[in-house]
C-alpha cells in the first residue's frame, strides 16, 4: 500500500513516534507539525490510523532510534 508521507501526516507521525521511542498514539497534523491543528485518534478515519501504524511499523523494522546519549 502507498501512503502519503508528508511531514505532519499520519505515516510521518507514526514513524516519528517510533524514532523518538514513544508509544503508539495515532495522531497527525493538518499542516505543519506542531504549528497546525492536531487530529487525535478519536477524529481519525481507519485509513489514517492504518497509515500511522504503517509509519510506526516501518520505522521499527527499517528505521533507527534517537540516540539520547
Amino acid at each position: 500500500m502507498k501512503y502519503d508521507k508528508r511531514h505532519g501526516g499520519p505515516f510521518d507521525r507514526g514513524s516519528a513516534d517510533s524514532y523518538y521511542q514513544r508509544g503508539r498514539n495515532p495522531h497527525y497534523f493538518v499542516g505543519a507539525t506542531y504549528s497546525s491543528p492536531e487530529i487525535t485518534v478519536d477524529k481519525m478515519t481507519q485509513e489514517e490510523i492504518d497509515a500511522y501504524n504503517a509509519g510506526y511499523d516501518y520505522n521499527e523494522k527499517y528505521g533507527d532510534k534517537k540516540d539520547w546519549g
Side-chain angles (χ1 to χ4, degrees):
M1 177 144 225
K2 188 171 181 164
Y3 298 101
D4 177 3
K5 296 180 181 171
R6 79 165 178 83
H7 187 71
F11 186 95
D12 172 72
R13 294 293 81 210
S15 64
D17 283 350
S18 167
Y19 174 79
Y20 288 109
Q21 301 177 51
R22 298 186 288 244
R24 287 181 197 260
N25 178 28
H27 68 284
Y28 71 95
F29 293 89
V30 173
T33 303
Y34 300 117
S35 61
S36 68
E38 180 178 5
I39 306 301
T40 54
V41 69
D42 58 316
K43 301 269 193 314
M44 292 171 71
T45 67
Q46 189 59 53
E47 286 181 347
E48 292 165 340
I49 294 168
D50 291 347
Y52 173 93
N53 285 321
Y56 197 100
D57 292 342
Y58 182 88
N59 193 72
E60 288 292 301
K61 186 170 184 177
Y62 301 109
D64 59 353
K65 302 287 185 169
K66 169 77 174 161
D67 180 5
W68 296 101

